[in-house]
């Protein structure tokens, strides 16, 4: 019998080994695939985050250019007849090569009628002669099809390339004329998308942005008023390459390629050839623009960029190897090996357990011991976390108290002194200096408003009434709640003063405060009744409302921490907590707190080892 049993086991051994080997190889292959995909997904996520950071940086630079335009418009808003020298001095003070390196040119174009064209043309020619530049052969002539013109009269920096633009009519192109009219009528930044080649090479573009300038003494509320007050427009030209290169210099990974594409087309004038929609390509050279690589070897991210009213698309790409570390290359193989060995070991263990019941029992006993040890460690960890929460809560309340007192002692006193000085100034200037008296009175009112804000901040941090005892704090909170929410409140209490230590009184006050806040937010009640009285060695506080009660499952709703906070405060004080509610009958919260060691001074009658029960019906 035994020889045949051994022969049976020897016959099954090759089959079991083959099954174990196939299972281990399958698990190893699956782990390799999953790990490789996880690494690639993580790299794609990180790369997309880097691309978003670059996208935000480009958006920020466009916004900074818009703010720059508004500053230029402010110059002419303050002085509508600002001269070319004033414009030049303003630009020089901005130090654009250092502060705004992407901006190539700044200019001002004046809006004139057909009758004003000769004067503007003469002004531009005089300025060209001043810089020793040749005058244009053609003069500005009126166009019978339109009655307004926007002529470039100031340009900085004054270089031969920029000065050659003096005296040109920006509205000569119908498309730009339409964009400028929309900008004038809506008081928005105009971006036509029309590109000017700034340097040799496949992609060296300069884009323009313009902002309308209006007469400062005329209203601009309606389209008709804005057209009447329109003086002209300020504009900048910025190099796309210089703007984007600065962004890519801070990109965390090397070798990234960025292709910036304008998704909105620019209408062409008769005889013009269409230009490429690509505004920028970081891998383009002076002669060539390489094709996009195979998507299997690179990570890609396409993100939108809003250039005023135009839509751009930023296509980021990078070789996968640029984001993979040496560990990432070996990690899938390590996972496959670990999966193969683990599966082989588990399979061998399964075979061993199947053949030995005793080994299985021993293993079960070991697992039970480990589980019990883990439970004990978990309980100890929970207790430590509870102690840490109590310590953190105590520190938070102490810090609130300290900050509130410092604000009261420093800021409030300074504001009061400032108010007294302002009132003295207002009284002294009442009869002789009416305008100064009015400003002083406004300052006094602003200081009063600031004092009220400071008082509200102090009360939000820690009401000073807590220093007067629990009774006064409850009375103040009830009155404040009634005044703030309009919900009728009834406070019923006896003449007993409850002297608790600061920690216990603060905890009870915060629980009351949170309960009333829950009534205001969720109960939809019209009346609240608060009772505060003592039963033997128990201090009971009851809050009852005529609200709708709690909805089923609302207590365990994700993100709701009000009741959790109450329960944790009670646990910190070694108390108990229960809550019951039904629809349309309100909610009852019962909190019991032992206050042995929390009493400070004496109560109305002697108390020995007393307890406090806080009963909240809300």
């Amino acid at each position: 019998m035994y020889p045949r049993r051994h022969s049976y086991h020897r016959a099954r051994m090759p089959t079991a080994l083959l099954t174990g080997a196939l299972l281990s190889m399958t698990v190893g292959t699956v782990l390799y695939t999953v790990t490789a995909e996880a690494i690639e997904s993580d790299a794609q996520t990180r790369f997309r985050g880097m691309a978003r950071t670059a996208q935000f940086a480009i958006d920020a630079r466009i916004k900074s250019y818009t703010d720059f335009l508004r500053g230029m418009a402010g110059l002419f808003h303050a002085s509508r007849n600002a001269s070319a020298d004033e414009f030049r001095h303003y630009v020089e003070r901005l130090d654009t090569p250092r502060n705004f390196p992407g901006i190539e040119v700044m200019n001002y174009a004046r809006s004139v009628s057909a009758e004003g064209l000769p004067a503007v043309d003469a002004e531009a020619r005089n300025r060209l002669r001043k810089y020793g530049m040749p005058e244009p052969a053609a003069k500005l002539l009126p166009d019978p099809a339109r009655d307004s013109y926007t002529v470039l009269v100031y340009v900085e920096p004054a270089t031969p390339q920029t000065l050659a633009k003096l005296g040109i009519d920006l509205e000569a192109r119908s498309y730009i004329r339409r964009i400028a009219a929309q900008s004038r009528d809506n008081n928005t930044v105009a971006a036509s998308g029309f590109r000017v080649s700034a340097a040799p090479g496949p992609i060296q573009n300069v884009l323009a942005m313009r902002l309308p300038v209006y007469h400062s003494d005329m209203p601009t509320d309606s389209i008709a008023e804005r057209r009447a007050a329109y003086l002209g427009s300020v504009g900048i030209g910025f190099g796309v390459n210089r703007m984007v290169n600065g962004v890519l210099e801070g990109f965390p990974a090397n070798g990234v390629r960025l292709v910036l594409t304008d998704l909105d087309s620019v209408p062409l004038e008769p005889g013009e050839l269409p230009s490429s929609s690509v505004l920028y390509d970081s891998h383009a050279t002076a002669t060539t623009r390489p094709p996009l690589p195979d998507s299997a070897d690179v990570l890609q991210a396409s993100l939108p960029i809003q250039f005023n009213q135009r839509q751009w698309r930023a296509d980021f790409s990078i070789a996968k190897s640029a984001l993979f570390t040496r560990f990432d290359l070996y990690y899938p193989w390590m996972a496959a090996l670990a999966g193969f060995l683990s599966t082989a070991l588990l399979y061998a263990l399964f075979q061993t357990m199947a053949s030995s019941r005793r080994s299985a029992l021993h293993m079960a006993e070991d697992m039970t011991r480990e589980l019990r040890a883990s439970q004990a460690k978990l309980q100890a960890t929970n207790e430590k976390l509870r102690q840490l929460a109590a310590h953190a809560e105590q520190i938070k309340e102490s810090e609130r108290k300290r900050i509130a007192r410092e604000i009261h002692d420093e800021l409030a006193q300074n504001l009061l002194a400032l108010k007294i000085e302002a009132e003295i100034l207002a009284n002294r200037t009442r009869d002789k200096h009416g305008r100064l008296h009015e400003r002083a009175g406004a300052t006094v009112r602003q200081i009063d408003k600031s004092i009220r804000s400071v008082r509200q901040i102090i009360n939000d941090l820690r009401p000073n009434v807590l220093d007067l005892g629990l009774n006064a704090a409850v009375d103040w909170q009830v009155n404040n709640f009634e005044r703030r929410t309009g919900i009728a409140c009834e406070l019923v209490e006896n003449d007993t003063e409850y002297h608790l230590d600061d920690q216990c009184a603060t905890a009870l006050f915060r629980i009351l405060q949170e309960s009333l806040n829950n009534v205001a937010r969720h109960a939809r009640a019209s009346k609240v009744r608060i009772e505060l009285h003592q039963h033997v060695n128990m201090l009971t506080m009851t809050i009852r409302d005529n609200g709708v009660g709690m909805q089923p499952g609302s207590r365990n709703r994700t993100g709701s921490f009000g009741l959790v906070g109450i329960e944790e405060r009670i646990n910190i004080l070694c108390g108990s907590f229960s809550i019951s509610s039904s629809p349309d009958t309100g909610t009852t919260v019962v909190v019991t707190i032992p206050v042995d060691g929390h009493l400070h001074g004496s109560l109305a009658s002697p108390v020995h080892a007393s307890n406090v029960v806080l009963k909240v019906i809300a």
Side-chain angles (χ1 to χ4, degrees):
M1 179 177 181
Y2 292 105
R4 283 195 297 180
R5 180 182 298 175
H6 292 313
S7 299
Y8 173 74
H9 286 301
R10 284 196 298 271
R12 290 195 57 189
M13 187 175 297
T15 303
L17 291 176
L18 179 60
T19 302
L22 291 176
L23 181 61
S24 300
M25 291 177 63
T26 301
V27 172
T29 303
V30 170
L31 286 178
Y32 177 87
T33 304
V34 171
T35 305
E37 291 179 353
I39 292 175
E40 183 172 339
S41 176
D42 177 70
Q44 178 67 45
T45 302
R46 287 188 287 117
F47 178 65
R48 190 167 185 85
M50 298 175 187
R52 286 192 180 278
T53 302
Q55 174 200 21
F56 295 153
I58 295 175
D59 287 337
R61 293 204 172 191
I62 293 175
K63 183 179 182 303
S64 69
Y65 292 166
T66 303
D67 295 338
F68 184 89
L69 265 180
R70 298 190 185 280
M72 291 175 58
L75 171 66
F76 293 94
H77 185 79
S79 176
R80 59 175 296 188
N81 296 320
S83 64
D85 291 335
E86 290 175 335
F87 182 70
R88 184 180 67 257
H89 293 327
Y90 174 80
V91 172
E92 290 175 352
R93 287 194 298 270
L94 292 176
D95 194 8
T96 54
R98 184 168 64 90
N99 298 321
F100 301 91
I103 297 179
E104 306 282 351
V105 63
M106 295 137 284
N107 57 67
Y108 170 66
R110 186 182 302 158
S111 176
V112 297
S113 62
E115 292 77 9
L117 280 179
V120 173
D121 183 71
E123 180 182 349
R125 292 176 181 274
N126 289 335
R127 192 162 292 114
L128 289 174
R129 286 194 297 270
K130 175 181 177 181
Y131 286 102
M133 293 289 296
E135 300 180 23
K139 293 186 177 182
L140 286 173
L141 299 176
D143 185 355
R146 53 196 177 100
D147 56 358
S148 65
Y149 306 84
T150 303
V151 182
L152 202 65
V153 293
Y154 302 155
V155 62
E156 291 293 336
T159 64
Q161 291 80 10
T162 59
L163 291 174
K165 305 294 183 180
L166 278 177
I168 66 171
D169 181 14
L170 298 181
E171 298 184 6
R173 296 175 61 95
S174 59
Y175 170 66
I176 296 180
R177 184 164 61 251
R178 185 171 66 254
I179 295 297
Q182 294 174 356
S183 174
R184 175 200 63 199
D185 293 344
N186 300 320
N187 193 14
T188 57
V189 176
S192 64
F194 184 75
R195 297 189 287 276
V196 178
S197 179
I203 305 174
Q204 297 287 337
N205 295 313
V206 171
L207 296 180
M209 298 169 59
R210 305 202 67 80
L211 184 68
V213 178
Y214 302 99
H215 197 294
S216 60
D217 296 331
M218 298 178 65
T220 57
D221 297 329
S222 64
I223 293 179
E225 290 175 344
R226 285 191 284 270
R227 289 178 177 177
Y230 183 63
L231 294 177
S233 63
V234 291
I236 61 170
F238 62 92
V240 179
N241 284 40
R242 296 182 65 181
M243 178 186 72
V244 181
N245 285 339
V247 174
L248 293 183
E249 288 175 0
F251 204 84
N254 297 325
V256 65
R257 181 177 184 178
L258 170 59
V259 179
L260 202 60
T261 307
D262 189 351
L263 302 181
D264 296 327
S265 61
V266 177
L268 301 176
E269 294 291 326
E272 286 185 344
L273 297 177
S275 59
S276 173
S277 61
V278 177
L279 298 173
Y280 172 82
D281 188 344
S282 59
H283 281 34
T285 63
T287 57
T288 60
R289 177 173 173 254
L292 296 175
D294 187 4
S295 59
D297 300 327
V298 298
L299 300 174
Q300 296 178 341
S302 296
L303 300 173
I305 294 178
Q306 190 71 28
F307 177 59
N308 295 302
Q309 288 79 28
R310 302 187 67 81
Q311 188 71 28
W312 293 355
R313 187 185 70 233
D315 296 313
F316 297 86
S317 60
I318 193 172
K320 294 180 180 179
S321 58
L323 293 181
F324 289 170
T325 62
R326 185 181 297 273
F327 176 77
D328 293 334
L329 298 176
Y330 292 109
Y331 186 55
W333 294 103
M334 294 169 60
L337 179 61
F340 179 85
L341 296 177
S342 300
T343 305
L345 292 175
L346 289 175
Y347 185 78
L349 180 62
F350 171 77
Q351 293 294 328
T352 303
M353 292 176 63
S355 63
S356 177
R357 182 174 179 273
R358 181 177 299 175
S359 298
L361 293 175
H362 288 324
M363 184 176 295
E365 293 175 357
D366 293 340
M367 293 176 65
T368 301
R369 286 194 297 270
E370 292 178 1
L371 180 59
R372 290 174 179 173
S374 299
Q375 290 177 344
K377 291 180 181 179
L378 181 59
Q379 292 177 354
T381 302
N382 288 338
E383 183 61 29
K384 291 181 179 179
L385 289 176
R386 194 178 303 280
Q387 295 174 1
L388 179 60
H391 182 63
E393 185 66 26
Q394 184 177 3
I395 291 176
K396 183 177 70 174
E397 291 296 340
S398 299
E399 190 65 11
R400 282 181 171 180
K401 184 176 181 180
R402 183 189 65 82
I403 293 174
R405 286 182 176 175
E406 287 186 1
I407 292 176
H408 178 271
D409 295 341
E410 296 292 335
L411 182 57
Q413 297 301 325
N414 291 339
L415 286 174
L416 183 58
L418 186 59
K419 176 183 176 182
I420 293 173
E421 294 295 332
E423 288 178 343
I424 293 174
L425 178 60
N427 292 333
R428 291 181 176 179
T429 58
R430 177 178 289 110
D431 300 327
K432 298 181 179 180
H433 303 281
R435 186 174 181 181
L436 181 57
H437 172 71
E438 181 181 351
R439 294 297 299 274
T443 302
V444 171
R445 291 190 294 273
Q446 184 63 34
I447 293 173
D448 286 335
K449 183 178 178 181
S450 300
I451 291 175
R452 289 192 296 271
S453 299
V454 168
R455 288 175 179 170
Q456 183 61 41
I457 292 171
I458 292 174
N459 287 331
D460 290 341
L461 288 172
R462 185 182 187 275
N464 292 329
V465 73
L466 270 174
D467 297 331
L468 302 179
L470 181 62
N471 301 70
V474 170
D475 185 74
W476 176 87
Q477 177 62 29
V478 169
N479 292 331
N480 183 59
F481 175 80
E482 183 176 16
R483 183 181 63 256
R484 178 169 51 88
T485 63
I487 299 176
C489 296
E490 180 184 1
L491 176 61
V492 180
E493 60 178 343
N494 51 31
D495 297 330
T496 303
E497 288 289 337
Y498 307 104
H499 302 281
L500 305 177
D501 63 8
D502 186 70
Q503 180 183 3
C504 186
T506 301
L508 296 178
F509 177 78
R510 294 299 184 191
I511 292 172
L512 171 63
Q513 194 176 50
E514 181 63 31
S515 301
L516 291 178
N517 287 338
N518 287 338
V519 172
R521 288 196 300 264
H522 310 297
R524 286 182 280 177
S526 61
K527 184 177 180 180
V528 180
R529 179 182 174 90
I530 301 97
E531 298 178 5
L532 182 65
H533 56 275
Q534 181 177 350
H535 294 288
V536 190
N537 293 333
M538 299 292 181
L539 182 63
T540 303
M541 186 160 58
T542 304
I543 302 176
R544 176 177 293 119
D545 74 277
N546 58 351
V548 297
M550 293 180 60
Q551 299 300 322
S554 61
R555 183 179 177 184
N556 298 322
R557 185 172 62 248
T558 302
S560 179
F561 299 101
L563 295 178
V564 175
I566 294 177
E567 188 172 7
E568 283 303 315
R569 291 180 186 273
I570 299 307
N571 289 334
I572 290 172
L573 298 176
C574 301
S576 61
F577 170 77
S578 65
I579 183 171
S580 60
S581 176
S582 59
D584 300 324
T585 60
T587 303
T588 301
V589 177
V590 179
V591 177
T592 304
I593 303 176
V595 290
D596 297 335
H598 295 299
L599 292 176
H600 181 71
S602 61
L603 300 176
S605 60
V607 177
H608 302 284
S610 61
N611 289 336
V612 168
V613 174
L614 176 63
K615 183 177 181 184
V616 181
I617 302 176

